[in-house]
């Protein structure tokens, strides 16, 4: 990435604002010594702004950057002396969004230990599989998961919230030095269709990844940011990295609640919100507070953006919405800003600076504008492979996302869905997402999901699952007629199933395997 672009972007976002010379020197020294890991980012923030609030928890805990660093260092020393955790080991982190989660991840990176961010929605059986496959040395978990961890091998040390706090308080004095290797962050894939896989996240090598994001999403130094997206997910963790780099104040709630989120945004005067799309849907179901939060940025990612949500949300909260399309494996691929979303509400936007994006056919050749093909992405933060071995197909330095999409004449990317979600019905290719977006525009529909199910005559057919707003009703034939009016006949769902709610994982993705149970 070219130096002038980096300098210009850092200047625009306030990162090159002059400060006290001794603190600036200490900040640069921390980055030079510890690098761009989460530990390095926290150290540079504590060096430059030691007394600035770093984290505000919903339970009243407020920690400055220096206090957060001190606690993370204490935990690192205690895990090393008390549990024998060494560079190269792996620890599991089964926590919701609060200061203890962040302290644990930073402590791991201080030791050069891999932190496996465990999805809080995993079943006991899935958790046992993850612990075995990832060869966990220690598992740190919130108290609410005490029963879920009972089935784990007794020889695996488990630290609940009290034990974690005892480690911090009782740590022996000592000094930490940069580890021989960087500790990796291992994010588990969403596992919507099967067992989750561990994906190794690379450590940034400089300012490039940061400026790629903040060039397009206008976050600034010392902003106040609420991270509602789960930090165990790629999007929530990326928000944490950006916040540390910007020396932002981070507001955290363990669980997402629409009313509590709106109150916190106003009470803490938040400038930005990181969320997943379903969270914005839930916020829209609540009357906006008076006065409304003075948000400058609402950044979403993690799952497809339902049709119509972007303009409806911006009509209420202003043109502040940014939609990032990416994945655990490719980090980011494209970003849509408010103007893009006004013009095309379902667009994934354009690739940011330093990112390459190509739409290819099965032979690896670029497809014409407007034609659907496989989405390949290249940037500085492509994952390093799955911990179980293997990776994804690459072509000319670009990684296969597993998604299908197209780029229109204006250069905007549209994601049609997962390659394995596309169905062939009577010889016609059908993308469920197109039908979902249409159904979501019905005023009675709260949320919609469409999947392919086996059909003895056509091979596959579409089934639509609709959750309605309270006191609303719809007739299945009326739903089919509505789709028939706008789309081709092969896109009409022959099955229309009304459900109380759609099953989703913690990042808002619909669990299609749960929907398929309706069909045995």
């Amino acid at each position: 990435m070219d130096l002038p672009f980096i300098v210009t972007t850092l200047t625009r976002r306030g990162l090159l604002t002059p400060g006290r010379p001794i603190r600036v020197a200490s900040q640069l020294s921390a980055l030079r010594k510890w690098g761009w890991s989460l530990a390095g980012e926290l150290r540079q923030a504590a060096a430059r702004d030691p007394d600035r609030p770093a984290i505000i928890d919903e339970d009243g805990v407020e920690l400055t950057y220096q206090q957060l660093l001190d606690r993370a260092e204490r935990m690192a020393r205690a895990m090393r002396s008390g549990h024998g955790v060494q560079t190269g080991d792996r620890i599991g982190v089964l926590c919701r969004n609060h200061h203890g989660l962040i302290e644990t991840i930073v402590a791991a990176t201080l030791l050069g230990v891999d932190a496996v961010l465990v999805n809080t929605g995993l079943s006991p059986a899935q958790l046992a599989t993850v612990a075995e496959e990832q060869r966990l040395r220690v598992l740190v978990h919130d108290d609410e998961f005490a029963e879920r961890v009972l089935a784990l091998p007794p020889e695996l040390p488990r630290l609940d919230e009290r034990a974690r706090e005892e480690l911090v308080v009782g740590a022996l004095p000592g000094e930490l030095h940069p580890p021989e290797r960087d500790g990796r962050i291992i994010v588990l894939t969403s596992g919507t269709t099967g067992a989750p896989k561990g994906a190794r996240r690379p450590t940034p090598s400089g300012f490039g990844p940061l400026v790629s994001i903040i060039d397009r999403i206008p976050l600034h130094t010392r902003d106040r940011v609420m991270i509602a997206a789960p930090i165990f997910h790629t999007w929530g963790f990326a928000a944490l990295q950006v916040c540390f780099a910007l020396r932002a104040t981070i507001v955290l709630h363990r669980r997402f609640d629409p009313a509590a989120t709106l109150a916190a945004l106003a009470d803490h005067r938040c400038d930005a919100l990181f969320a997943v799309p379903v969270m914005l849907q839930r916020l829209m179901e609540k009357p906006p507070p008076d006065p409304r939060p003075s948000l400058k940025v609402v950044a979403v990612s993690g799952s497809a953006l339902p049709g119509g949500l972007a303009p409806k949300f911006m009509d209420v909260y202003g043109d502040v919405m940014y939609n990032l399309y990416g994945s655990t494996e490719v980090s980011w691929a494209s970003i849509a800003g408010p103007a893009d979303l006004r013009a095309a509400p379902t667009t994934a936007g354009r690739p940011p600076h330093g990112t390459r994006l190509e739409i290819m056919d099965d032979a690896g050749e670029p497809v014409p504008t407007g034609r659907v093909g496989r989405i390949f992405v290249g940037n500085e933060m492509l994952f390093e492979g799955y911990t179980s071995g293997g990776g994804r197909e690459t072509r000319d330095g670009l990684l296969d996302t597993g998604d299908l999409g197209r780029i229109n004449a204006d250069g905007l990317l549209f994601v049609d869905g997962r390659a394995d979600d596309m169905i062939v019905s009577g010889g016609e290719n059908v993308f469920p997402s197109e039908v979902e977006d249409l159904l979501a525009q019905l005023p009675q529909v709260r949320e919609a999901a469409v999947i392919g199910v086996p059909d003895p005559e056509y091979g596959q057919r579409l089934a639509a699952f609709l959750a309605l707003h309270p006191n609303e009703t719809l007739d299945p034939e009326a739903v089919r007629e509505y789709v028939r009016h706008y789309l081709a006949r092969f896109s009409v769902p022959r099955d229309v199933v009304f459900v109380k709610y759609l099953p989703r994982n913690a990042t808002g993705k619909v669990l299609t395997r749960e929907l398929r149970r309706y069909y045995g």
Side-chain angles (χ1 to χ4, degrees):
M1 189 172 289
D2 55 285
L3 184 59
F5 172 77
I6 291 176
V7 172
T8 299
T9 303
L10 294 179
T11 301
R12 280 192 297 135
R13 302 306 182 217
L15 281 160
L16 297 185
T17 302
R20 293 171 55 182
I22 190 169
R23 287 192 175 176
V24 173
S26 180
Q27 178 187 22
L28 295 175
S29 175
L31 284 175
R32 185 166 53 249
K33 185 176 180 181
W34 286 86
W36 301 87
S37 67
L38 203 63
E41 290 283 13
L42 176 55
R43 283 186 176 277
Q44 67 83 25
R48 180 69 182 267
D49 271 339
D51 299 323
R52 178 166 185 76
I55 296 176
I56 300 174
D57 267 354
E58 64 182 317
D59 56 8
V61 174
E62 182 171 325
L63 298 173
T64 67
Y65 270 103
Q66 187 60 56
Q67 289 170 333
L68 179 61
L69 177 60
D70 289 344
R71 288 177 60 85
E73 288 185 332
R74 282 174 163 271
M75 186 170 184
R77 296 198 305 269
M79 283 200 299
R80 184 174 59 187
S81 62
H83 293 279
V85 177
Q86 300 293 330
T87 299
D89 285 342
R90 287 180 185 166
I91 67 168
V93 188
L94 178 59
C95 299
R96 299 195 186 274
N97 287 11
H98 59 85
H99 72 278
L101 164 67
I102 296 175
E103 291 167 3
T104 303
I105 301 173
V106 175
T109 58
L110 285 166
L111 296 174
V113 168
D114 295 342
V116 180
L117 307 187
V118 182
N119 189 315
T120 58
L122 293 189
S123 67
Q126 287 177 311
L127 179 59
T129 299
V130 167
E132 179 181 1
E133 291 183 349
Q134 301 300 327
R135 304 183 303 279
L136 298 184
R137 183 72 178 76
V138 173
L139 175 68
V140 180
H141 66 88
D142 288 346
D143 291 345
E144 68 175 281
F145 304 117
E147 289 189 9
R148 200 178 304 180
V149 304
L150 289 177
L152 295 176
E155 62 270 17
L156 175 62
R158 281 158 279 187
L159 304 176
D160 59 15
E161 295 183 51
R162 179 178 178 180
R164 188 190 68 238
E165 186 64 23
E166 288 174 349
L167 284 183
V168 172
V169 173
L172 297 174
E175 187 174 356
L176 293 172
H177 301 281
E180 297 177 357
R181 64 179 284 276
D182 286 332
R184 288 294 188 260
I185 302 300
I186 297 175
V187 177
L188 300 182
T189 58
S190 57
T192 56
T193 57
K197 294 181 288 186
R200 294 190 301 272
R201 307 288 308 142
T203 300
S205 58
F207 284 109
L210 172 67
V211 299
S212 291
I213 302 302
I214 63 175
D215 170 58
R216 298 288 295 279
I217 302 178
L219 298 159
H220 293 80
T221 305
R222 297 177 177 174
D223 275 348
R224 299 173 76 87
V225 181
M226 184 170 193
I227 303 179
I231 292 175
F232 67 70
H233 182 258
T234 306
W235 181 231
F237 183 73
L240 176 62
Q241 291 176 298
V242 170
C243 285
F244 274 8
L246 294 174
R247 310 192 301 281
T249 296
I250 305 166
V251 178
L252 298 175
H253 283 186
R254 293 195 183 220
R255 291 176 178 271
F256 173 75
D257 176 83
T261 297
L262 289 172
L265 292 172
D267 291 346
H268 297 295
R269 305 183 306 282
C270 290
D271 304 288
L273 169 68
F274 278 78
V276 297
V278 71
M279 292 177 176
L280 300 196
Q281 289 179 288
R282 300 295 179 263
L283 290 178
M284 291 295 292
E285 294 171 1
K286 297 291 182 182
D290 186 21
R292 297 179 189 183
S294 55
L295 291 166
K296 301 172 185 174
V297 168
V298 175
V300 295
S301 185
S303 61
L305 194 64
L309 175 61
K312 290 177 182 177
F313 184 86
M314 290 192 292
D315 285 347
V316 175
Y317 291 98
D319 284 8
V320 296
M321 191 168 171
Y322 296 81
N323 179 35
L324 182 145
Y325 161 63
S327 70
T328 301
E329 292 83 3
V330 304
S331 295
W332 64 84
S334 60
I335 300 173
D340 299 324
L341 294 170
R342 285 289 188 188
T346 60
T347 185
R350 298 175 173 84
H353 193 91
T355 296
R356 296 168 56 208
L357 189 150
E358 293 282 351
I359 309 296
M360 301 184 186
D361 60 22
D362 288 337
E365 297 297 324
V367 304
T369 298
R371 184 80 58 82
V372 174
R374 299 165 63 189
I375 303 175
F376 283 76
V377 174
N379 59 43
E380 293 184 49
M381 291 296 288
L382 300 181
F383 87 135
E384 299 174 333
Y386 297 113
T387 54
S388 57
R392 284 189 175 272
E393 180 183 349
T394 59
R395 290 181 176 174
D396 190 28
L398 304 180
L399 189 69
D400 179 18
T401 63
D403 290 329
L404 298 175
R406 55 200 156 82
I407 296 177
N408 71 4
D410 295 324
L412 291 173
L413 173 68
F414 293 82
V415 181
D416 289 287
R418 300 291 296 169
D420 49 14
D421 284 344
M422 185 191 78
I423 75 166
V424 180
S425 182
E428 301 285 356
N429 292 341
V430 185
F431 295 98
S433 60
E434 181 182 28
V435 186
E436 287 176 351
D437 287 340
L438 181 63
L439 293 174
Q441 295 178 40
L442 283 167
Q444 300 91 336
V445 173
R446 185 172 186 250
E447 50 187 357
V450 178
I451 64 172
V453 298
D455 184 273
E457 182 179 358
Y458 294 96
Q460 289 179 294
R461 68 178 185 270
L462 290 182
F465 294 81
L466 304 179
L468 304 182
H469 289 291
N471 303 318
E472 295 286 359
T473 60
L474 270 177
D475 178 71
E477 184 53 38
V479 172
R480 286 188 282 267
E481 185 59 34
Y482 169 73
V483 177
R484 193 177 292 118
H485 180 75
Y486 290 99
L487 300 177
R489 59 172 179 76
F490 50 78
S491 296
V492 177
R494 283 202 278 159
D495 302 331
V496 178
V497 181
F498 296 102
V499 295
K500 191 172 183 180
Y501 60 88
L502 295 181
R504 296 179 183 270
N505 66 13
T507 60
K509 291 183 179 179
V510 174
L511 298 170
T512 56
R513 66 175 181 269
E514 298 292 331
L515 298 179
R516 295 189 196 284
R517 290 181 179 176
Y518 281 89
Y519 297 88

